[in-house]
């Protein structure tokens, strides 16, 4: 059973957002958490667009979310908001699908102008889904994340410091909430 599910709302598999996700995933694994990633773009598009709540793929993704203790919601910012594909999936979560979950947003955008996309775009939707433990999140600018020729990404010290703080806060919040099935 995954302790933390990463909802990757990125339609592109080559985005610099992957640098944030990979960093978070590695840090959480080192802290003893089991991680599972749901790439929303890999879910059947027809099921997302037609809101097929009974889709086996959607049901399987929802079950992973239900069994998790924490959720990382990762998205690039397009047109001052998170991606439409992420919204399409969030619409298919049960009404209280994020109740009793600790949620950490990780966003990346072209400039700091969309920094508040987490607060004004994402957090109201998360609240509507029952989330009460929403961490402040991390917003990064594309140009801060460098692709390495040999693969992977390089993140500046300031960004890794903020990620480390948020990841630590996520782990502490999960443990502090004394979720009965957490065994670390």
């Amino acid at each position: 059973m995954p302790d933390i599910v990463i909802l990757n709302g990125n339609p592109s598999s080559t985005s610099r957002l992957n640098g944030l996700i990979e960093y978070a995933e590695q840090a959480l694994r080192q802290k003893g958490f089991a991680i599972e990633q749901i790439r929303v773009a890999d879910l059947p598009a027809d099921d997302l667009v037609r809101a097929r709540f009974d889709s086996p793929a959607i049901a399987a993704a929802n079950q992973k979310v239900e069994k998790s203790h924490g959720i990382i919601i990762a998205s690039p910012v397009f047109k001052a908001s998170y991606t439409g594909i992420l919204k399409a999936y969030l619409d298919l979560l049960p009404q209280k699908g994020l109740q009793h979950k600790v949620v950490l947003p990780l966003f990346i955008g072209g400039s700091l102008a969309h920094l508040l996309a987490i607060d004004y775009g994402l957090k109201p939707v998360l609240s509507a889904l029952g989330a009460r433990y929403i961490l402040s999140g991390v917003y990064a600018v594309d140009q801060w994340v460098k692709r390495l020729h040999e693969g992977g990404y390089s993140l500046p010290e300031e960004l890794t410091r903020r990620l480390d703080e948020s990841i630590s806060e996520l782990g502490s919040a999960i443990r502090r909430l004394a979720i009965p099935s957490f065994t670390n």
Side-chain angles (χ1 to χ4, degrees), residues 155-162:
L155 309 178
E157 185 178 334
E158 171 62 19
L159 180 55
T160 59
R161 184 189 59 74
R162 289 177 34 233

Side-chain angles (χ1 to χ4, degrees), residues 8-9 38-55 57-59 61-62 83-93:
N8 182 344
I38 298 170
R39 282 197 37 81
V40 179
D42 292 343
L43 294 172
D46 202 47
D47 293 348
L48 290 168
V49 171
R50 297 187 186 281
R52 291 195 175 120
F53 291 89
D54 61 346
S55 157
I58 300 300
N62 288 351
T83 61
I85 194 167
L86 178 59
K87 177 64 164 92
Y89 175 69
L90 292 175
D91 287 346
L92 294 172
L93 281 173

Side-chain angles (χ1 to χ4, degrees), residues 2 14 19 22 24 27-29 34 38 46 61 63 65 81 83-86 110 118-119 129 148 152 159 165 179:
T14 61
E22 288 175 10
L28 287 163
R29 285 188 197 282
I38 298 170
D46 202 47
Q63 188 169 32
V65 170
S81 186
T83 61
I85 194 167
L86 178 59
I118 293 172
D119 291 326
L129 289 168
L148 301 175
L159 180 55
E165 288 173 5
I179 297 169

Side-chain angles (χ1 to χ4, degrees), residues 13 21 33 41 49 51 54 56 74 80 83 112 122 129-130 132 136-137 139-140 151 163 175 184:
S13 62
I21 292 170
F33 288 95
V49 171
D54 61 346
T83 61
L112 286 174
L122 182 67
L129 289 168
R132 297 297 174 261
S136 58
Y139 181 90
L163 284 166
R175 289 181 177 99
N184 189 16

Side-chain angles (χ1 to χ4, degrees), residues 1-175:
M1 170 170 58
D3 293 318
I4 297 172
V5 167
I6 299 172
L7 286 180
N8 182 344
N10 196 339
S12 169
S13 62
T14 61
S15 169
R16 287 181 173 89
L17 177 64
N18 294 328
L20 303 181
I21 292 170
E22 288 175 10
Y23 186 91
E25 191 170 353
Q26 181 180 6
L28 287 163
R29 285 188 197 282
Q30 288 175 351
K31 293 178 180 292
F33 288 95
I35 308 296
E36 189 143 5
Q37 189 173 155
I38 298 170
R39 282 197 37 81
V40 179
D42 292 343
L43 294 172
D46 202 47
D47 293 348
L48 290 168
V49 171
R50 297 187 186 281
R52 291 195 175 120
F53 291 89
D54 61 346
S55 157
I58 300 300
N62 288 351
Q63 188 169 32
K64 289 176 187 177
V65 170
E66 180 184 333
K67 290 181 177 182
S68 70
H69 302 124
I71 305 288
I72 293 176
I73 298 190
S75 179
V77 174
F78 296 144
K79 308 290 190 239
S81 186
Y82 55 93
T83 61
I85 194 167
L86 178 59
K87 177 64 164 92
Y89 175 69
L90 292 175
D91 287 346
L92 294 172
L93 281 173
Q95 183 63 40
K96 296 296 179 185
L98 297 180
Q99 192 171 22
H100 307 297
K101 311 285 184 219
V102 181
V103 181
L104 173 63
L106 295 181
F107 275 32
I108 195 165
S111 75
L112 286 174
H114 301 296
L115 173 68
L116 295 176
I118 293 172
D119 291 326
Y120 294 126
L122 182 67
K123 286 185 178 181
V125 174
L126 299 179
S127 291
L129 289 168
R132 297 297 174 261
Y133 309 104
I134 306 169
L135 305 179
S136 58
V138 175
Y139 181 90
V141 175
D142 280 331
Q143 67 187 17
W144 297 348
V145 180
K146 306 290 184 207
R147 286 188 185 97
L148 301 175
H149 296 291
E150 61 275 7
Y153 301 88
S154 172
L155 309 178
E157 185 178 334
E158 171 62 19
L159 180 55
T160 59
R161 184 189 59 74
R162 289 177 34 233
L163 284 166
D164 287 340
E165 288 173 5
S166 292
I167 289 163
S168 180
E169 186 179 7
L170 176 64
S172 295
I174 290 170
R175 289 181 177 99

